[in-house]
């Protein structure tokens, strides 16, 4: 998965990668040539007392060192830019894929895991790429070049390399094999920590209301301890790797000096050659150590690449139409024909053969007990998820064939849990219509019964809104969400229990103003309050995902027992009549 990911997203950067490899090759060749020059200075300059030879070759070494430095700087520059571009492209790809997900796919992965995959997992792959460009590219060149030049200096002494390299390779392989499963567990436990922390921040008021601070502290402590345990396991293995490598390096250096001294004593080798051989040995070992450092990062990056590909390879259940309808004949006619919806793996469908017709100029209400599928029914219209059975038609066209931009302009949804984005009142209201004027915003706020409290805020339309709208009350969030949809001016309004946080007076005023504003539009309201929907032109009663009654309030009170039970649980017989 890691190779596949890198091959896909590094393809546009072939030219800087080629230049990077060339620069790494030049700087590595310069590094390999320096010990040979140093050996010549010792043997032909220092031993013979030739000062001119020492100065001449010393100047050459300085020049080669400058070439090495310049090439290294260039390689690191292009490596850093390319790795950063890779991280940017992968993050953008993951973000785009997540944006295409329906509620089903988002629920499958979970928001904390998607955030971790988009940030931490991509960062691990980006870091591996940077280290590959700055370290790993030069490591094989240095290793092979060092071995060749060491053989050229003294073949018998090179027998030490035959023992050193395999021992290093086997040691590193054994440690890396144990690291890979630990890194996967680490990423999963990091997801858990993010999930617990996200829940505790979001549910801070509930925690305080029920005085569950200690319980939540224990939950976080447990998740944190689990992550710490696996991190310590990986840290112990990583800590073991360097002592093993350094032990092999030091033992090999002792062996070279020992056998090299005998070679010099017998006249088969010069002092300068022994110095150069030691330098090449260190370069060979350093290249192995660089590769070792890379191998430490590879297992975690592989796990992260797999998790990234899990997101990228997941197709949304809401598929854009291949030949989208870009113009609708009628204006706001909504029809649901035998619609059903079942979550993957669920024993029972959420919706079963639901029929609904909502026309322009009419208000259609949906009511039912908790869990009867009301919100799911409304979610089928803007394609938050697609019906698994039947059809949802807007202006006679199946919503699955309508261009998504056209559908978004035609259908306006006020969700059950209104969400406001960090910014200002104005930026939130213009979310569905960026070109709306201030006058249009104030008009929408007036209809939504939000003008008074917004005008009291410091800055008015420019008053700051915190992420999620946490700096305003629940009722104010609902009214701002309703105003946001009014600014959009769709032809079909879907209100998913959007008045639950309002007091009865505000609810009544809002519904009166909405009735005038949406007189020519199609309005579908899901509500728990009977008072909110009793005046609707048509009321649909849901029970366990099935339609058990359709009619006006008085018709249903007369002949529908389910509706009658719901009404009498909220109103007296006289109030209901």
């Amino acid at each position: 998965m890691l190779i596949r990911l890198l091959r896909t997203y590094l393809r546009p950067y072939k030219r800087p990668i080629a230049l990077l490899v060339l620069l790494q090759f030049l700087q590595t060749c310069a590094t390999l040539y320096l010990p040979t020059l140093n050996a010549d200075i010792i043997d032909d300059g220092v031993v013979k007392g030739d000062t001119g030879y020492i100065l001449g070759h010393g100047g050459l070494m300085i020049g080669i060192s400058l070439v090495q430095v310049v090439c290294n700087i260039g390689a690191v520059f292009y490596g850093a830019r390319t790795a950063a571009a890779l991280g940017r492209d992968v993050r953008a790809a993951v973000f785009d894929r997540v944006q295409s997900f329906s509620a089903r796919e988002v629920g499958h992965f979970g928001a904390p895991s998607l955030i971790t995959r988009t940030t931490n997992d991509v960062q691990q792959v980006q870091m591996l790429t940077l280290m590959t460009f700055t370290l790993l590219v030069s490591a094989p060149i240095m290793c092979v070049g060092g071995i060749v030049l060491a053989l050229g200096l003294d073949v018998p002494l090179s027998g030490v390399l035959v023992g050193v390299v395999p021992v290093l390779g086997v040691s590193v392989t054994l440690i890396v094999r144990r690291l890979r499963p630990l890194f996967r567990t680490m990423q999963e436990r990091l997801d858990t920590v993010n999930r617990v922390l996200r829940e505790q921040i979001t549910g801070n008021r509930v925690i305080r209301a029920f005085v569950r601070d200690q319980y939540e502290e224990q939950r976080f402590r447990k998740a944190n301890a689990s992550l710490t345990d696996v991190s310590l396991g990986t840290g112990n293995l990583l800590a073991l790797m360097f002592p093993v490598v350094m032990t092999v390096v030091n033992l090999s250096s002792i062996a070279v000096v020992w056998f090299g001294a005998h070679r010099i004593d017998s006249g088969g080798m010069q002092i300068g050659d022994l110095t150069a051989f030691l330098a090449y040995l260190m370069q060979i070992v350093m290249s192995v150590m660089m590769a070792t450092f890379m191998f430490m990062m590879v297992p975690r990056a592989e796990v992260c690449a797999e998790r990234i590909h899990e997101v990228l390879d997941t197709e949304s259940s809401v598929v854009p139409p291949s030949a989208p309808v870009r113009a609708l004949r009628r204006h706001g006619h909504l029809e649901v024909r035998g619609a059903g919806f079942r979550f993957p793996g669920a024993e029972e469908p959420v919706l079963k053969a639901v029929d609904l017709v909502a026309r322009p100029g009419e208000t259609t209400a949906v009511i039912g007990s908790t869990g009867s599928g009301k919100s799911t029914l409304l979610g089928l219209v803007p394609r938050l998820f697609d019906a698994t059975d039947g059809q949802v038609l807007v202006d006679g066209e199946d919503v699955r064939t309508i261009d998504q931009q056209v559908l978004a302009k035609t259908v306006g949804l006020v969700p059950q849990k209104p969400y406001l984005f960090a910014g200002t009142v104005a930026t939130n209201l213009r979310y569905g219509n960026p070109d709306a004027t201030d006058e249009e915003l104030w008009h929408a706020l007036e209809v939504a019964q939000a003008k008074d409290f917004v005008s009291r805020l410091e800055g008015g339309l420019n008053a700051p809104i915190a992420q999620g709208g946490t700096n305003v009350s629940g009722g104010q969030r609902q009214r701002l969400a309703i105003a946001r949809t009014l600014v959009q001016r769709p032809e079909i309004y879907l209100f998913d229990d959007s008045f639950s946080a309002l007091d009865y007076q505000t609810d009544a005023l809002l519904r009166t103003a909405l009735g005038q504003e949406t007189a020519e539009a199609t309005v579908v309201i899901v509500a728990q309050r009977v008072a909110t929907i009793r005046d609707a032109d048509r009321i649909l009663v849901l029970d366990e995902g099935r339609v058990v009654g359709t009619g006006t309030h008085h018709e249903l009170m007369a002949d529908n027992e389910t509706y009658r039970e719901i009404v009498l649980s909220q109103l007296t017989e006289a109030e209901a009549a």
Side-chain angles (χ1 to χ4, degrees), residues 30-31 33-42 54-68:
T31 303
Y33 189 41
L34 289 175
T36 299
L37 288 175
N38 188 48
D40 292 341
I41 289 176
I42 292 173
I54 295 172
L55 292 175
H57 278 66
L60 181 60
M61 288 183 70
I62 292 173
I64 292 174
S65 298
L66 289 174
V67 171
Q68 176 194 7

Side-chain angles (χ1 to χ4, degrees), residues 31-294:
T31 303
L32 289 169
Y33 189 41
L34 289 175
T36 299
L37 288 175
N38 188 48
D40 292 341
I41 289 176
I42 292 173
D43 293 335
D44 299 329
V46 176
V47 173
K48 295 179 181 180
D50 189 342
T51 305
Y53 188 89
I54 295 172
L55 292 175
H57 278 66
L60 181 60
M61 288 183 70
I62 292 173
I64 292 174
S65 298
L66 289 174
V67 171
Q68 176 194 7
V69 170
V70 171
C71 290
N72 194 31
I73 291 173
V76 171
F77 173 78
Y78 283 108
R81 285 179 61 90
T82 306
L86 169 78
R88 177 198 63 204
D89 295 346
V90 175
R91 275 192 300 272
V94 175
F95 177 80
D96 290 342
R97 177 65 69 177
V98 172
Q99 287 296 99
S100 72
F101 283 171
S102 69
R104 181 189 298 183
E105 287 77 40
V106 173
H108 169 71
F109 286 104
S113 181
L114 289 173
I115 292 172
T116 304
R117 293 170 197 245
T118 309
T119 54
N120 185 271
D121 288 6
V122 174
Q123 185 180 17
Q124 295 300 326
V125 175
Q126 179 180 334
M127 186 60 66
L128 175 72
T129 306
L130 177 60
M131 293 297 104
T132 299
F133 288 152
T134 54
L135 297 179
L136 192 60
V137 171
S138 62
I141 303 173
M142 185 175 293
C143 184
V144 174
I147 292 174
V148 171
L149 292 174
L151 286 170
L153 289 173
D154 194 277
V155 174
L157 193 58
S158 300
V160 175
L161 301 176
V162 177
V164 172
V165 176
V167 170
L168 281 176
V170 171
S171 303
V172 171
T173 302
L174 291 175
I175 294 174
V176 167
R177 285 182 63 184
R178 295 191 61 189
L179 277 173
R180 196 174 188 281
L182 289 176
F183 279 130
R184 171 169 283 281
T185 305
M186 181 187 294
Q187 294 303 113
E188 291 172 352
R189 293 187 180 178
L190 183 60
D191 283 348
T192 303
V193 169
N194 284 341
R195 175 174 54 78
V196 172
L197 188 59
R198 182 186 175 93
E199 287 178 351
Q200 291 173 345
I201 293 173
T202 306
N204 181 263
R205 293 183 180 180
V206 178
I207 294 170
R208 291 183 178 276
F210 286 90
V211 196
R212 299 289 284 174
D213 302 68
Q214 292 184 351
Y215 171 74
E216 292 299 330
E217 285 178 9
Q218 291 175 358
R219 276 186 69 207
F220 183 79
R221 193 178 297 115
K222 182 179 178 181
N224 196 25
S226 297
L227 177 60
T228 302
D229 290 341
V230 72
S231 299
L232 287 174
T234 57
N236 290 336
L237 286 174
L238 294 178
L240 179 64
M241 186 175 289
F242 282 107
V244 169
V245 172
M246 291 308 299
T247 300
V248 175
V249 169
N250 292 331
L251 290 176
S252 60
S253 299
I254 293 171
V256 167
V257 173
W258 175 266
F259 292 113
H262 288 288
R263 293 282 296 158
I264 293 173
D265 187 53
S266 63
M269 190 178 190
Q270 293 182 312
I271 296 175
D273 291 340
L274 177 60
T275 304
F277 193 95
L278 279 171
Y280 286 131
L281 174 65
M282 291 306 299
Q283 288 179 348
I284 294 168
V285 173
M286 285 300 298
S287 65
V288 175
M289 287 185 65
M290 285 191 289
T292 300
F293 182 70
M294 291 301 306

Side-chain angles (χ1 to χ4, degrees), residues 399-471:
V399 292
R400 287 170 287 201
T401 66
I402 300 174
D403 181 79
Q404 290 179 314
Q405 293 293 331
V406 174
L407 184 63
K409 291 179 180 179
T410 305
V411 179
L413 171 66
V414 182
Q416 189 172 14
K417 296 180 180 179
Y419 188 88
L420 301 179
F421 296 89
T424 64
V425 172
T427 58
N428 274 278
L429 295 183
R430 289 193 175 101
Y431 201 73
N433 183 8
D435 299 324
T437 63
D438 286 357
E439 290 75 14
E440 291 174 322
L441 300 187
W442 282 116
H443 176 70
L445 290 170
E446 184 176 6
V447 174
Q449 307 303 304
K451 183 177 180 179
D452 289 343
F453 87 80
V454 171
S455 60
R456 289 196 299 268
L457 295 175
E458 185 177 352
L461 290 175
N462 295 318
I465 296 293
Q467 182 182 8
T470 54
N471 61 333

